[in-house]
Amino acid sequence: LSSVGLTEEDRQLLQMLAEGSGNQQIAEQLFMSDRTVKRKLQDLMDKMGVTTRAQAVAEGFKRGIL
């Protein structure tokens, strides 16, 4: 994962997005606040060079992360 600049937590967030989890579900499963989830998702999308959750998932599949 480090070769594409993503952490294990990034991969976990991406997997949860791919499964259709919303911010609240992600927050509960990862023991984070909604605000933290939003920030981490934005950081993830910035790293991947995308602007939407759907694009992040598509890029995850394209890169072989998912």
Side-chain angles (χ1 to χ4, degrees), residues 27-66:
E28 289 172 6
Q29 286 190 344
L30 299 182
F31 306 102
M32 299 176 180
S33 70
D34 283 342
R35 175 174 266 176
T36 299
V37 171
K38 287 178 187 176
R39 181 180 51 79
K40 288 184 178 288
L41 287 175
Q42 188 59 57
D43 290 346
L44 171 63
M45 291 188 292
D46 289 346
K47 284 182 190 179
M48 296 182 80
V50 299
T51 56
T52 69
R53 296 161 75 105
Q55 288 174 335
V57 171
E59 189 67 19
F61 280 109
K62 183 178 174 182
R63 293 184 188 189
I65 300 165
L66 294 172

Side-chain angles (χ1 to χ4, degrees), residues 10-31:
D10 291 336
R11 189 206 60 76
Q12 190 175 19
L13 285 170
L14 196 55
Q15 181 64 43
M16 294 177 83
L17 285 181
E19 293 169 357
S21 296
N23 289 2
Q24 182 64 39
Q25 289 173 298
I26 294 170
E28 289 172 6
Q29 286 190 344
L30 299 182
F31 306 102

